[in-house]
Amino acid sequence: MKYLLFDENAISTYVSESRLQSIEYPDGLSFIKHICGKQSSEMFYNTRIEYTKDGILFVGRRKKENPPSEIDKHIFCIDLTSCALLNEETNPARLLNIIQKTFRLTLKIWNRYPFSASERINETKSILFPFSITDHHRLVIERSNQVPRLESRGIIFPLLAYKYNAEEPGQILDVVETDVLRQAGEEYAEKKYSLQNQLEIAQSSGEKTNNTSPLGYIEANMCVGRDDFIYWEYDRQLEALTESQRKVVEYGAIDTPLRVDGAAGTGKTISLIMRAYRLLTINREKKLPFHIIFFAHNESTALRNQEVFSLYKDSDYFLSLQSEQSICFTTLLAFCCKFAHIEETAIIESNAADAKTYQLMMIDEVVKHAHKTNRIKTYRPLLSPEVYSLFDTEKTDCTTLANMLQHEFSIQIKGRTDCSIESYLELETIPNGIPCKTKPEKELIFSLFVDYQKMLQVQGNFDVDDVTIEAISHLNAPIWRRKRQIEGYDYILADEMHLFNLNEQSVFHFLSKDLSTRNIPLCFALDYSQAIGDRGNVSHDYISSGSFGNVKEEKLCTLFRNSPQIIDFCASIAASGTLMFGTTFSNPYVNMQYHFTHAEEIKMQIPELHMYVNDDAMIADLANQLGELMKSLQCKPRDIAIIAFDSKWLSNEGVQLLEVITGKKYALLDQTVSVPSEQYILASPYAINGLEFHAVVLLGVDEGRLPQTTGTGDISQHFLKYSAYNMLYLSASRAKYRVTIMGSELKGESSCLEHAIKAETIHVKRHSDVISP
């Protein structure tokens, strides 16, 4: 096979069909098989694919315009004798990614649209870098092809892809041979009208021009990522899912765990919701009792999941806990409080941001008390220089130390031990925590933990881990063991599992009706790279250790929420984390696929970093940034989230100040779960997980705040930077079309963005002329 030839009508069709953007759809895989020459001539999505002696022609329906448009005169040819594109045949997802990006580049060339960061120009050559992070493969297109025999047959501006490799280009420009282009173009010119007539006849006779899948695929005309997807009927939603998403929804076994693994935006949550609805309807038809509990990490996400479910037929019946088939949407914390009979007023974790701040204040008091009583001084001869430097106020800021201790208390001591000194001494140190390795060092840290627990006890307060452990003690008691067979749940779903620590994850063991089985009837979704803390380190992964039984895993890789530009940016953040933290960081962007049609790309652009002279100038321009997003996206204020990385904007006083300066209305997400459409959402990165928006504005992203750099030593800075990467990735991945990042020049560009800026997955704009309020 010497060539693949596409006319512009065919290319326009292929980039606009959502089911041709991913091999997870049968038609996307079928399309790639055509690219590789593995099929035969057929009608396919309003195009005719014609196999010839030396290649394949892809011909679209001609446009009925008067006068005729030049679109019918444009062709794009891939010279397979010199372009090694089909070397990617062994990885169909990767090959489809290249083909679709190449199609978009050809349309930009013909329509004289601007190029993106992954598309370059070198004299008459256009160069595409399909994988912009660490893979240096490139495809080269020659734009100036002089083929008189094609011009005489009405073909103008033919494009030729003649090279694909990962080698650095030489100093001398390539000499491009056009023999294959001429041969393919003449074959196209000879058969063009006959093939277009076949398309017209098929269209007028009502013959289907799309593939018929052996899997019973029914064509859905709209993209699964459309904003109105949640309002579709269940059957229509099911038809629009990818193969892997549909496997999750229709997975047969309900007596074994099902793990749904995928990056942000891959449809994990909606797959879980649809699975729950399917199980309830099946059991209602069978007239069998069936009760489901659906966990989320925070109240806003739980409410959002319930709202999506409530749009289904008969949802009122299923949402009633008195029904024979029911579902309960809740948070794990709320469930544990209710089960352990703990009043919400006694919990410091009712508000994620405020609870974290209060915990840090308590830990800071514990450290100050240890200094006053000379406990730190006593231990000094027994501590390594690295550990002692953490307690040196000249080397480590008190807030930084409090963050690290809170992390050690929650993840290490409460999450991985039974809160005894014996277990803690045996525990292995994690790479991104406090490097305490000797017995005296661990004894010092544990003594601070004991003081922290005593302070909670004196105040009559509980943190999340206390509540969870208390609930587990009740769940593991004889009374619940007896009641469990009646009051337990037939199926458990957990969204954003990566946000639950080891104590919280162990709760799921005690909720099913059958206490004898080792396999838990649990379906859970997770993406470790979204977890703020050390959960990107999966070396002690409770889930993968077999604690839930024999877990079946489904990976979702079609990214249908984030635009390609946002995906590239998030991938560069994940790559930064991978480079910094080695094999312990889970990178979700190993094989990226896109799921946007050409029409949707109008709303998209590369993320932007706006740097201002100071915070006042930054806030003064916030209204302009929000106005521009509203205008270009044609959305409601509620569809835009402002994620603040400085606590001064996350208080009631901060909200009032923002409203006065910007003239906009904001709803603080930590204090409300129902936001009016005319208000923008203001949230901390700790409260935003599980939600999605048309656009996000990251406020206060600079070196002083993400990561914090004032008064940090080498060890503490390592921890803070790790957490900063997580928060940046998590926050940016909430957006579908736009990410706007705002920072202060006084603090400098965040080092977490260094890789993204270098990779040109974010554009930097400096505002030296913005007037302060």
Side-chain angles (χ1 to χ4, degrees), residues 261-325:
D261 207 344
T266 52
K268 299 186 296 295
T269 302
I270 191 64
S271 298
L272 263 61
I273 293 172
M274 292 179 68
R275 177 166 178 75
Y277 182 74
R278 177 177 180 272
L279 292 174
L280 290 169
T281 42
I282 287 175
N283 282 279
R284 188 181 186 187
E285 289 170 359
K286 294 179 178 179
K287 297 182 180 180
L288 297 175
F290 199 80
H291 301 285
I292 296 176
I293 188 165
F294 195 122
F295 290 108
H297 187 258
N298 55 55
E299 290 287 349
S300 55
T301 307
L303 179 64
R304 172 63 174 169
N305 292 344
Q306 181 171 321
E307 287 177 345
V308 172
F309 184 90
S310 67
L311 298 171
Y312 289 131
K313 179 183 177 182
D314 297 329
S315 60
D316 289 343
Y317 172 82
F318 294 132
L319 287 170
S320 172
L321 300 184
Q322 284 71 46
S323 300
E324 283 291 291
Q325 300 80 27

Coordinates of all heavy atoms in Angstrom, one line a residue, residues 261-325:
D261 N -10.7 2.6 37.0 CA -9.5 3.4 37.1 C -9.4 4.4 35.8 O -9.5 3.9 34.7 CB -8.2 2.5 37.1 CG -7.1 3.1 37.8 OD1 -7.1 4.4 38.0 OD2 -6.1 2.4 38.2
G262 N -9.1 5.6 36.0 CA -9.0 6.5 34.9 C -8.7 7.9 35.4 O -8.9 8.3 36.5
A263 N -8.1 8.7 34.4 CA -7.7 10.1 34.7 C -8.9 11.0 34.9 O -10.1 10.5 34.6 CB -6.8 10.6 33.6
A264 N -8.7 12.2 35.3 CA -9.8 13.1 35.5 C -10.5 13.3 34.2 O -9.9 13.5 33.1 CB -9.2 14.5 36.0
G265 N -11.9 13.3 34.2 CA -12.7 13.5 33.0 C -13.0 12.3 32.2 O -13.5 12.4 31.1
T266 N -12.6 11.1 32.6 CA -12.8 9.9 31.8 C -14.2 9.3 32.0 O -14.5 8.2 31.5 CB -11.7 8.9 32.1 OG1 -11.7 8.6 33.5 CG2 -10.4 9.3 31.6
G267 N -15.1 9.9 32.8 CA -16.4 9.4 32.9 C -16.6 8.4 34.0 O -17.6 7.6 34.0
K268 N -15.7 8.4 35.0 CA -15.9 7.4 36.1 C -17.2 7.6 36.9 O -17.9 6.7 37.1 CB -14.7 7.6 37.1 CG -13.3 7.4 36.5 CD -12.2 7.4 37.5 CE -12.0 8.7 38.1 NZ -11.6 9.8 37.2
T269 N -17.5 8.9 37.3 CA -18.7 9.1 38.1 C -20.0 8.8 37.4 O -20.8 8.1 38.0 CB -18.7 10.6 38.6 OG1 -17.5 10.9 39.3 CG2 -19.9 10.9 39.5
I270 N -20.1 9.2 36.1 CA -21.4 9.0 35.4 C -21.5 7.5 35.2 O -22.6 6.9 35.2 CB -21.4 9.8 34.1 CG1 -22.9 9.7 33.5 CG2 -20.4 9.3 33.1 CD1 -23.9 10.3 34.4
S271 N -20.4 6.8 35.0 CA -20.5 5.3 34.8 C -21.0 4.6 36.1 O -21.8 3.7 36.0 CB -19.1 4.7 34.4 OG -18.6 5.3 33.2
L272 N -20.5 5.1 37.2 CA -21.0 4.5 38.5 C -22.5 4.8 38.7 O -23.3 4.0 39.2 CB -20.2 5.1 39.7 CG -19.0 4.2 40.1 CD1 -18.0 4.0 39.0 CD2 -18.3 4.9 41.3
I273 N -22.9 6.1 38.4 CA -24.3 6.4 38.6 C -25.2 5.6 37.7 O -26.3 5.1 38.1 CB -24.5 7.9 38.3 CG1 -23.8 8.8 39.4 CG2 -26.0 8.3 38.3 CD1 -23.8 10.2 39.1
M274 N -24.8 5.4 36.4 CA -25.6 4.6 35.5 C -25.6 3.2 35.9 O -26.6 2.5 35.7 CB -25.0 4.8 34.1 CG -25.2 6.2 33.5 SD -24.5 6.3 31.8 CE -25.6 5.3 30.9
R275 N -24.5 2.7 36.5 CA -24.5 1.3 36.9 C -25.5 1.1 38.1 O -26.2 0.1 38.1 CB -23.1 0.9 37.4 CG -23.0 -0.5 38.0 CD -21.5 -1.0 38.1 NE -21.4 -2.3 38.7 CZ -21.7 -3.4 38.1 NH1 -22.2 -3.4 36.9 NH2 -21.6 -4.6 38.8
A276 N -25.5 2.1 39.0 CA -26.5 2.0 40.1 C -27.9 1.9 39.6 O -28.7 1.1 40.0 CB -26.3 3.2 41.0
Y277 N -28.2 2.8 38.6 CA -29.6 2.9 38.1 C -30.0 1.6 37.4 O -31.1 1.0 37.5 CB -29.7 4.0 37.1 CG -31.1 4.2 36.5 CD1 -32.1 4.7 37.3 CD2 -31.4 3.8 35.2 CE1 -33.4 4.8 36.8 CE2 -32.6 3.9 34.7 CZ -33.7 4.5 35.5 OH -34.9 4.6 34.9
R278 N -29.0 1.0 36.7 CA -29.3 -0.3 35.9 C -29.6 -1.4 36.9 O -30.5 -2.2 36.8 CB -28.1 -0.6 35.1 CG -28.2 -2.0 34.4 CD -27.0 -2.2 33.5 NE -27.1 -3.5 32.8 CZ -26.8 -4.7 33.3 NH1 -26.2 -4.7 34.5 NH2 -26.9 -5.8 32.6
L279 N -28.8 -1.5 38.0 CA -29.0 -2.6 39.0 C -30.3 -2.4 39.7 O -31.0 -3.4 39.9 CB -27.9 -2.5 40.0 CG -26.5 -3.0 39.5 CD1 -25.4 -2.8 40.6 CD2 -26.5 -4.4 39.0
L280 N -30.7 -1.2 40.0 CA -32.0 -0.9 40.6 C -33.2 -1.3 39.7 O -34.1 -2.0 40.2 CB -32.1 0.5 41.1 CG -31.2 0.9 42.2 CD1 -31.2 2.4 42.4 CD2 -31.6 0.3 43.5
T281 N -33.1 -0.9 38.5 CA -34.2 -1.2 37.5 C -34.3 -2.7 37.3 O -35.4 -3.3 37.2 CB -34.0 -0.5 36.2 OG1 -32.7 -0.6 35.8 CG2 -34.5 0.9 36.2
I282 N -33.2 -3.4 37.2 CA -33.2 -4.9 36.9 C -33.9 -5.6 38.1 O -34.7 -6.5 37.9 CB -31.8 -5.4 36.7 CG1 -31.2 -5.0 35.3 CG2 -31.7 -6.9 36.9 CD1 -29.8 -5.3 35.1
N283 N -33.5 -5.2 39.3 CA -34.1 -5.9 40.5 C -35.5 -5.5 40.7 O -36.3 -6.3 41.3 CB -33.2 -5.6 41.7 CG -31.9 -6.4 41.7 OD1 -31.9 -7.5 42.1 ND2 -30.8 -5.8 41.3
R284 N -35.9 -4.3 40.3 CA -37.3 -3.9 40.4 C -38.1 -4.7 39.4 O -39.2 -5.2 39.8 CB -37.5 -2.4 40.1 CG -38.9 -1.9 40.4 CD -39.1 -0.5 40.1 NE -40.4 0.0 40.5 CZ -40.9 1.2 40.2 NH1 -40.1 2.1 39.5 NH2 -42.1 1.6 40.6
E285 N -37.6 -5.0 38.2 CA -38.4 -5.8 37.3 C -38.5 -7.2 37.8 O -39.5 -7.9 37.6 CB -37.6 -5.8 35.9 CG -37.7 -4.5 35.2 CD -36.8 -4.4 34.0 OE1 -36.1 -5.4 33.8 OE2 -36.8 -3.3 33.3
K286 N -37.4 -7.7 38.5 CA -37.5 -9.1 39.1 C -38.2 -9.1 40.4 O -38.4 -10.2 41.0 CB -36.0 -9.6 39.3 CG -35.2 -9.8 38.0 CD -33.8 -10.2 38.3 CE -33.0 -10.5 37.1 NZ -31.6 -10.9 37.4
K287 N -38.6 -7.9 40.9 CA -39.3 -7.8 42.2 C -38.5 -8.4 43.3 O -39.0 -9.0 44.2 CB -40.7 -8.5 42.1 CG -41.6 -7.9 41.1 CD -43.0 -8.6 41.1 CE -43.9 -7.9 40.0 NZ -45.2 -8.5 40.0
L288 N -37.2 -8.1 43.3 CA -36.3 -8.5 44.3 C -35.8 -7.3 45.1 O -35.5 -6.2 44.6 CB -35.0 -9.2 43.7 CG -35.3 -10.5 43.0 CD1 -34.0 -10.9 42.3 CD2 -35.9 -11.5 43.9
P289 N -35.8 -7.4 46.5 CA -35.3 -6.2 47.3 C -33.8 -6.0 46.9 O -33.0 -6.9 46.7 CB -35.4 -6.7 48.7 CG -36.4 -7.9 48.6 CD -36.2 -8.5 47.3
F290 N -33.4 -4.7 46.8 CA -32.0 -4.4 46.5 C -31.8 -3.0 47.0 O -32.4 -2.0 46.6 CB -31.8 -4.5 44.9 CG -30.4 -4.6 44.5 CD1 -29.7 -5.8 44.6 CD2 -29.7 -3.5 44.1 CE1 -28.4 -5.9 44.2 CE2 -28.4 -3.6 43.7 CZ -27.7 -4.8 43.8
H291 N -30.7 -2.9 47.8 CA -30.4 -1.6 48.4 C -29.0 -1.2 48.2 O -28.1 -2.0 48.4 CB -30.7 -1.6 49.9 CG -32.2 -1.9 50.2 ND1 -33.2 -1.0 50.0 CD2 -32.8 -3.1 50.6 CE1 -34.3 -1.6 50.3 NE2 -34.1 -2.8 50.7
I292 N -28.8 0.0 47.7 CA -27.4 0.5 47.3 C -27.1 1.7 48.1 O -28.0 2.6 48.4 CB -27.4 0.9 45.8 CG1 -27.6 -0.3 44.9 CG2 -26.1 1.6 45.4 CD1 -27.7 0.0 43.4
I293 N -25.8 1.9 48.5 CA -25.3 3.1 49.1 C -24.2 3.6 48.3 O -23.3 2.9 47.8 CB -24.8 2.8 50.6 CG1 -24.5 4.2 51.3 CG2 -23.7 1.9 50.7 CD1 -24.4 4.1 52.8
F294 N -24.2 4.9 48.0 CA -23.3 5.6 47.0 C -22.5 6.6 47.8 O -23.1 7.6 48.2 CB -24.1 6.2 45.9 CG -23.2 6.6 44.7 CD1 -23.5 6.0 43.4 CD2 -22.2 7.5 44.8 CE1 -22.8 6.4 42.3 CE2 -21.4 7.8 43.7 CZ -21.7 7.3 42.5
F295 N -21.2 6.4 48.0 CA -20.4 7.3 48.8 C -19.7 8.3 47.9 O -19.1 8.0 46.9 CB -19.4 6.6 49.6 CG -20.0 5.8 50.8 CD1 -20.0 4.4 50.7 CD2 -20.5 6.4 51.9 CE1 -20.6 3.6 51.7 CE2 -21.0 5.7 52.9 CZ -21.1 4.3 52.9
A296 N -19.6 9.6 48.4 CA -18.7 10.6 47.9 C -17.9 11.2 49.0 O -18.2 10.9 50.2 CB -19.5 11.7 47.2
H297 N -16.8 11.9 48.7 CA -15.9 12.4 49.7 C -16.5 13.7 50.4 O -16.3 13.9 51.6 CB -14.6 12.7 49.1 CG -13.5 13.0 50.2 ND1 -13.1 14.3 50.4 CD2 -12.8 12.3 51.1 CE1 -12.2 14.3 51.4 NE2 -12.0 13.1 51.8
N298 N -17.2 14.5 49.7 CA -17.7 15.7 50.3 C -19.2 15.9 49.9 O -19.7 15.3 49.0 CB -16.9 17.0 49.9 CG -16.8 17.1 48.4 OD1 -17.8 17.2 47.7 ND2 -15.6 17.2 47.8
E299 N -19.8 16.8 50.7 CA -21.3 17.0 50.5 C -21.7 17.5 49.2 O -22.7 17.1 48.6 CB -21.7 18.0 51.6 CG -21.7 17.5 53.0 CD -22.8 16.5 53.3 OE1 -23.7 16.3 52.5 OE2 -22.7 15.8 54.3
S300 N -20.9 18.5 48.6 CA -21.2 19.0 47.3 C -21.2 18.0 46.2 O -22.1 18.0 45.3 CB -20.3 20.2 47.0 OG -18.9 19.8 47.0
T301 N -20.2 17.1 46.3 CA -20.2 16.0 45.3 C -21.3 15.0 45.5 O -21.9 14.5 44.5 CB -18.8 15.3 45.4 OG1 -17.8 16.2 45.3 CG2 -18.7 14.3 44.2
A302 N -21.6 14.7 46.7 CA -22.7 13.7 47.0 C -24.1 14.3 46.5 O -24.9 13.6 45.9 CB -22.8 13.5 48.5
L303 N -24.3 15.6 46.7 CA -25.5 16.2 46.2 C -25.6 16.3 44.7 O -26.6 16.0 44.1 CB -25.6 17.7 46.8 CG -26.8 18.5 46.3 CD1 -28.1 17.8 46.9 CD2 -26.8 19.9 46.8
R304 N -24.4 16.6 44.1 CA -24.3 16.6 42.6 C -24.7 15.2 42.0 O -25.4 15.1 41.1 CB -22.9 17.0 42.2 CG -22.7 16.9 40.7 CD -23.6 17.8 39.9 NE -23.2 17.8 38.5 CZ -24.0 18.4 37.5 NH1 -25.1 19.0 37.9 NH2 -23.6 18.3 36.3
N305 N -24.1 14.2 42.6 CA -24.4 12.8 42.2 C -25.9 12.5 42.3 O -26.5 11.9 41.4 CB -23.6 11.8 42.9 CG -22.1 11.9 42.6 OD1 -21.7 12.5 41.7 ND2 -21.3 11.3 43.5
Q306 N -26.5 12.9 43.4 CA -27.9 12.6 43.6 C -28.8 13.4 42.6 O -29.8 12.9 42.1 CB -28.3 13.0 45.0 CG -29.8 12.7 45.3 CD -30.2 12.8 46.8 OE1 -29.4 12.5 47.6 NE2 -31.3 13.4 47.1
E307 N -28.4 14.6 42.3 CA -29.1 15.5 41.3 C -29.1 14.8 39.9 O -30.1 14.8 39.2 CB -28.5 16.9 41.3 CG -28.8 17.7 42.5 CD -28.2 19.1 42.4 OE1 -27.2 19.2 41.6 OE2 -28.5 20.0 43.2
V308 N -27.9 14.3 39.5 CA -27.8 13.6 38.3 C -28.7 12.4 38.2 O -29.4 12.1 37.3 CB -26.3 13.2 38.0 CG1 -26.2 12.3 36.7 CG2 -25.5 14.5 37.8
F309 N -28.7 11.6 39.3 CA -29.5 10.4 39.4 C -31.0 10.8 39.4 O -31.8 10.0 38.8 CB -29.2 9.6 40.7 CG -29.9 8.3 40.8 CD1 -29.4 7.1 40.3 CD2 -31.2 8.3 41.4 CE1 -30.1 5.9 40.4 CE2 -31.9 7.1 41.5 CZ -31.3 5.9 41.0
S310 N -31.3 11.9 40.0 CA -32.7 12.2 40.1 C -33.4 12.6 38.7 O -34.6 12.7 38.6 CB -32.9 13.5 41.0 OG -32.3 14.6 40.4
L311 N -32.6 12.7 37.7 CA -33.1 13.0 36.3 C -33.6 11.8 35.6 O -34.2 11.9 34.6 CB -32.0 13.7 35.5 CG -31.5 15.1 36.1 CD1 -30.3 15.6 35.3 CD2 -32.6 16.1 36.0
Y312 N -33.3 10.6 36.2 CA -33.8 9.4 35.5 C -35.2 9.1 35.9 O -35.8 9.5 36.9 CB -32.9 8.2 36.0 CG -31.5 8.2 35.5 CD1 -30.4 8.0 36.4 CD2 -31.2 8.3 34.2 CE1 -29.1 8.0 35.9 CE2 -29.9 8.3 33.7 CZ -28.9 8.1 34.5 OH -27.6 8.1 34.1
K313 N -35.8 8.3 35.0 CA -37.2 7.8 35.2 C -37.3 7.0 36.5 O -36.4 6.2 36.8 CB -37.6 7.0 34.0 CG -39.1 6.5 34.1 CD -39.4 5.6 32.9 CE -40.7 5.0 32.9 NZ -41.0 4.1 31.8
D314 N -38.4 7.3 37.2 CA -38.6 6.6 38.5 C -37.6 6.8 39.6 O -37.5 6.0 40.5 CB -38.7 5.0 38.3 CG -39.9 4.7 37.4 OD1 -40.9 5.4 37.4 OD2 -39.8 3.7 36.6
S315 N -36.8 7.9 39.5 CA -35.8 8.2 40.4 C -36.4 8.4 41.8 O -35.8 8.1 42.8 CB -34.9 9.3 40.0 OG -35.7 10.5 39.8
D316 N -37.5 9.1 41.9 CA -38.2 9.4 43.2 C -38.4 8.1 43.9 O -38.2 8.0 45.2 CB -39.5 10.1 43.0 CG -39.3 11.5 42.5 OD1 -38.2 12.0 42.6 OD2 -40.2 12.1 42.0
Y317 N -38.8 7.1 43.2 CA -39.1 5.8 43.9 C -37.8 5.2 44.5 O -37.7 4.8 45.6 CB -39.7 4.8 42.9 CG -39.8 3.4 43.4 CD1 -40.9 3.0 44.2 CD2 -38.8 2.4 43.1 CE1 -40.9 1.7 44.7 CE2 -38.9 1.1 43.6 CZ -40.0 0.8 44.4 OH -40.0 -0.5 44.9
F318 N -36.7 5.2 43.7 CA -35.4 4.6 44.1 C -34.8 5.5 45.2 O -34.1 4.9 46.0 CB -34.5 4.5 42.9 CG -34.9 3.6 41.8 CD1 -34.9 3.9 40.5 CD2 -35.4 2.3 42.2 CE1 -35.3 3.0 39.5 CE2 -35.8 1.4 41.2 CZ -35.7 1.8 39.9
L319 N -35.0 6.8 45.2 CA -34.4 7.6 46.2 C -35.1 7.6 47.6 O -34.6 8.1 48.6 CB -34.3 9.1 45.7 CG -33.3 9.4 44.6 CD1 -33.5 10.7 44.0 CD2 -31.9 9.2 45.2
S320 N -36.3 6.9 47.6 CA -37.0 6.7 48.9 C -36.4 5.5 49.6 O -36.5 4.4 49.0 CB -38.5 6.6 48.6 OG -39.1 6.2 49.8
L321 N -35.9 5.7 50.8 CA -35.3 4.6 51.5 C -36.3 3.5 51.9 O -36.0 2.5 52.4 CB -34.5 5.1 52.7 CG -33.4 6.1 52.4 CD1 -32.6 6.5 53.6 CD2 -32.4 5.5 51.3
Q322 N -37.6 3.8 51.8 CA -38.6 2.9 52.2 C -39.0 1.9 51.0 O -39.7 1.0 51.2 CB -39.9 3.6 52.6 CG -39.9 4.2 54.0 CD -38.9 5.4 54.1 OE1 -39.0 6.3 53.2 NE2 -38.1 5.4 55.1
S323 N -38.4 2.3 49.8 CA -38.7 1.4 48.6 C -38.0 0.1 48.7 O -37.0 0.0 49.4 CB -38.3 2.1 47.4 OG -39.0 3.4 47.2
E324 N -38.5 -0.9 48.0 CA -37.9 -2.2 48.0 C -36.6 -2.2 47.3 O -35.7 -3.0 47.6 CB -38.8 -3.2 47.3 CG -40.0 -3.7 48.1 CD -39.5 -4.6 49.3 OE1 -39.1 -5.7 49.0 OE2 -39.6 -4.1 50.4
Q325 N -36.4 -1.3 46.3 CA -35.2 -1.1 45.6 C -34.8 0.4 45.8 O -35.5 1.3 45.4 CB -35.3 -1.4 44.1 CG -35.7 -2.8 43.8 CD -37.2 -3.0 43.9 OE1 -38.0 -2.1 43.8 NE2 -37.6 -4.3 44.2

